[in-house]
Amino acid sequence: MSRLQRVASTTRAGWYSFLRRRTAVFFTFFFPVIIVSIFAGLVQTQPTGGGIFAEPPAYYIPGYLAVVVLFTPLSRVGSEIARHRDGSQFEKLATTPLKRWEWLLAQTLVNVVVIGLAGLLLLGLTVLVTGVSIPLSASTLLLIPFVAVGVALFCGLGALLGNFSDSQDGVIAASNAIALPLLFLSETFVTPDLLPTWFRPAMELSPLTYFSRGVRGLTYSDAAPSLVLTNLGILCVLALGFFVAGAVTVPRTD
């Protein structure tokens, strides 16, 4: 079996495994509905006032997408590794030609499809609920690589969490401990001017910041193409680093 066939077979198995977990399917696609409903309501309560959620609704599109791009890969990949470890699946995988990075790549591809569909649903709901208009042009298609690369990055981080956590509960706790601060401190829902001056340079350390800036440049601020591509390039480098780190630490045995 060739490498491509191994990855394709593992991806297909991961996809069917996701579909069999009806609760996971439901909340993966219902979660965006909750997020858009809550945050859109908060934004509309103070459209011109100061403080949090005072920006126009379109400003928060990167934040909505960041929720699924950040939370879902962290918890899904981390939990998958913990589940495989608890079920002694890595010992079985060690007897096959499948390499660790191929297994993680397959998991990442499944998440790219799942989160891509959830993100599309989220964008549709955002337009429907808030009435924002997303500019449609050739550059708007860059949303696809932004989402795909962002998912790959957090799949790598999720793999690290899964390897260093001793249980699925530990994975969920670690995912939330990392994801919640990143979600609000990465130019998503909280604008930089609302944060202390001394803290703002720390936002550059968050990979989600580059996702937010790039997506906002495509959907809201009409940023220069060079700026959008710079953020995408930084995101790609970070995604590669996290993916390699996650693949290296995937267990060979349980």
Side-chain angles (χ1 to χ4, degrees), residues 1-181:
M1 181 180 287
S2 68
R3 176 171 297 161
L4 180 60
Q5 289 173 322
R6 293 197 299 269
V7 173
S9 297
T10 308
T11 302
R12 186 163 52 251
W15 172 253
Y16 287 123
S17 176
F18 167 71
L19 292 180
R20 284 194 296 269
R21 300 189 183 100
R22 296 182 179 179
T23 302
V25 174
F26 176 79
F27 281 104
T28 296
F29 294 101
F30 185 64
F31 195 39
V33 178
I34 299 175
I35 292 300
V36 171
S37 300
I38 292 176
F39 282 98
L42 290 173
V43 171
Q44 291 175 0
T45 58
Q46 45 181 10
T48 58
I52 300 177
F53 307 118
E55 299 293 329
Y59 179 89
Y60 300 101
I61 290 176
Y64 299 147
L65 285 177
V67 172
V68 290
V69 168
L70 173 62
F71 278 89
T72 307
L74 283 180
S75 59
R76 289 199 72 247
V77 174
S79 297
E80 194 71 18
I81 287 181
R83 187 161 42 244
H84 271 60
R85 187 174 55 234
D86 293 343
S88 300
Q89 294 297 313
F90 286 117
E91 287 186 355
K92 299 175 183 178
L93 289 176
T95 64
T96 71
L98 189 71
K99 300 182 184 302
R100 291 181 293 176
W101 71 266
E102 292 173 348
W103 181 87
L104 183 56
L105 176 60
Q107 299 299 321
T108 300
L109 292 174
V110 172
N111 278 278
V112 167
V113 174
V114 169
I115 296 165
L117 293 173
L120 187 62
L121 171 63
L122 191 149
L123 285 176
L125 286 171
T126 302
V127 172
L128 182 64
V129 173
T130 66
V132 302
S133 60
I134 299 175
L136 298 178
S137 64
S139 61
T140 310
L141 294 176
L142 284 174
L143 283 174
I144 297 174
F146 265 106
V147 171
V149 174
V151 170
L153 190 157
F154 291 109
C155 280
L157 181 55
L160 290 171
L161 294 180
N163 291 317
F164 297 132
S165 300
D166 57 3
S167 66
Q168 292 187 50
D169 289 339
V171 170
I172 299 301
S175 298
N176 290 334
I178 291 175
L180 284 173

Side-chain angles (χ1 to χ4, degrees), residues 39 59-74 115 146-155 157 175-190 192 200-217 228 230-232 234-239 242:
F39 282 98
Y59 179 89
Y60 300 101
I61 290 176
Y64 299 147
L65 285 177
V67 172
V68 290
V69 168
L70 173 62
F71 278 89
T72 307
L74 283 180
I115 296 165
F146 265 106
V147 171
V149 174
V151 170
L153 190 157
F154 291 109
C155 280
L157 181 55
S175 298
N176 290 334
I178 291 175
L180 284 173
L182 287 182
L183 181 62
F184 290 98
L185 301 177
S186 302
E187 295 190 19
T188 48
F189 295 109
V190 180
R200 294 173 193 173
M203 300 176 72
E204 305 296 327
L205 300 177
S206 169
L208 195 63
T209 297
Y210 304 102
F211 174 85
S212 301
R213 288 174 179 170
V215 172
R216 184 167 291 116
V228 173
T230 297
N231 284 290
L232 180 58
I234 294 173
L235 201 64
C236 286
V237 172
L238 293 173
F242 277 103

